[in-house]
Amino acid sequence: MSVSSRRVPIESQSVDAPLSSTAVFLVLSVTDVPGAVENVRATLAAISDILKNVAFRDLDAALSCTVGIGARTWVEVTRSPLPRELHSFRPVTGAHHNAPSTPGDILLHIRADRRDLCFEFERQVMDLFSGSVRVVDETVGFRYFDVRDLLGFVDGTANPVGQELREVTLVGEEDPTFAGGSYIVVQKYTHPLAEWRTLTTEQQEAIMGRTKADNIELEDADSGQKSHKTLATITVDGVEHGILRDNMPFGSPATHEFGTYFIGYSRHLWVIEHMLQRMFIGDPPGLHDRLLDFSTAVTGSTFFAPSAAFLDAMSDDPEPAPPVKP
Ligand code: HEM
């Protein structure tokens, strides 16, 4: 996969694409129309060509797309066994808050600095998918001020960079067939913003574990209630296990919808699952992440993003995919 760069290369499956000003999170289910699986396979294999076609029209806008494939249709679509850790999103049930599992066979994470490029790319891909998929959820995210979420906090600071980024996101020799791929978990959260605003800034900062204005990390609590930052930090045998997040705000003031679309990329699925356990069940159990008192998870799906080479190789079919009628 590519190393972050504004202008080159145009390559699909760029997990480490630069932060963009806009993004589309498109979750699809494969239909049971005859020929659907073959058509999905052919469309996924064509993604890198479509990406080149659209991205080339403005290289500065850095259009990228990462495709994730879910466990339910993985074997049929890719004709390969499952990546070692891949399974459907496992719901998490805490005493106060739940992380539901919702359908999703294909994820397109489309990023660019121009909304029209995302739109055009999505249009061309959806034309090819034709009746072979059903849209489960489409969320258009936008970048808000200094990379802040709608709760007002800078979101993404602790993300790994450089060599560490590749180490925490890309599968390595532990699963050689899928080396260079990445596990993805997405969850759509909505916020009761009016309630959040009744808290003082100090109360909000204690929940997040960082100051609001200047984004300084606060000390971890020795005992009792832990902040979001602390609960999302996973340390096993003295080794910290990170992930890459590219969360985006979404919503509409007119309809009072305010949300955060969470997307996490990881070399190991268990790391994200462990974070969710600590947030929803709590550490110690009972002391859940107070961020959840102001954030409701409405979706939850897990995917594996294979390397660009794996995806392109899916085009090596002896026969072209049959046309699909919706
Ligand atoms: C840190 C917001 C959900 C994992 C943070 C920070 C903010 C934030 C503001 C501190 C700054 C930073 O380092 O990015 C949110 C919001 C969420 C959300 C608004 C949804 C409503 C999640 C979920 C996970 C997660 C579901 C994992 C499953 C992390 C991690 C960190 C973090 C790993 C960095 C911790 C560290 O300092 O090492 N989040 N988050 N977040 N969050 Fe979240």
Side-chain angles (χ1 to χ4, degrees), residues 149-159 185 187 189-191 208-210 215 217 228-234 240-243 245 247 259-262 264 271-276 279-280 289 291-292 294-296:
D149 51 44
L150 295 185
L151 304 177
F153 284 78
V154 177
D155 194 349
T157 316
N159 269 336
V185 172
Q187 282 182 300
Y189 285 90
T190 56
H191 305 298
M208 288 297 196
R210 282 188 180 262
N215 190 31
E217 251 186 276
H228 172 61
K229 174 206 75 173
T230 308
L231 288 168
T233 301
I234 305 298
E240 199 175 312
H241 295 271
I243 63 170
R245 293 162 290 132
N247 297 354
T260 299
Y261 202 96
F262 166 82
V271 175
I272 303 183
E273 292 180 330
H274 199 42
M275 288 174 180
L276 290 172
M279 288 174 63
F280 283 81
D289 190 334
L291 172 59
L292 300 175
F294 304 92
S295 313
T296 305

Side-chain angles (χ1 to χ4, degrees), residues 72-207:
R72 191 182 76 98
T73 55
W74 174 276
V75 173
E76 271 185 295
V77 169
T78 67
R79 298 182 194 156
S80 96
L82 285 167
R84 215 162 63 168
E85 282 189 79
L86 185 62
H87 51 244
S88 298
F89 185 92
R90 291 181 177 151
V92 187
T93 308
H96 298 279
H97 302 290
N98 299 328
S101 173
T102 52
D105 298 326
I106 306 290
L107 168 78
L108 298 187
H109 181 200
I110 308 167
R111 295 177 263 186
D113 282 336
R114 278 177 51 174
R115 172 77 189 112
D116 57 349
L117 287 194
C118 292
F119 180 95
E120 179 59 15
F121 173 78
E122 184 183 349
R123 189 185 70 75
Q124 294 192 14
V125 175
M126 286 309 290
D127 273 358
L128 280 189
F129 272 131
S130 176
S132 60
V133 295
R134 183 178 65 80
V135 176
V136 178
D137 182 64
E138 184 202 39
T139 301
V140 176
F142 58 91
R143 197 61 68 193
Y144 190 54
F145 296 109
D146 345 307
V147 199
R148 288 177 191 269
D149 51 44
L150 295 185
L151 304 177
F153 284 78
V154 177
D155 194 349
T157 316
N159 269 336
V161 291
Q163 183 56 27
E164 193 198 347
L165 195 161
R166 304 181 75 85
E167 272 160 25
V168 306
T169 52
L170 302 186
V171 168
E173 284 316 303
E174 67 275 15
D175 197 2
T177 314
F178 300 108
S182 189
Y183 292 92
I184 307 178
V185 172
V186 294
Q187 282 182 300
K188 190 171 175 171
Y189 285 90
T190 56
H191 305 298
L193 220 49
E195 278 177 46
W196 174 251
R197 289 197 176 130
T198 64
L199 302 185
T200 62
T201 301
E202 290 70 24
Q203 286 171 323
Q204 294 179 353
E205 291 175 337
I207 289 174

Side-chain angles (χ1 to χ4, degrees), residues 84 127 225 246 258:
R84 215 162 63 168
D127 273 358
Q225 181 63 51
D246 195 357
F258 303 103

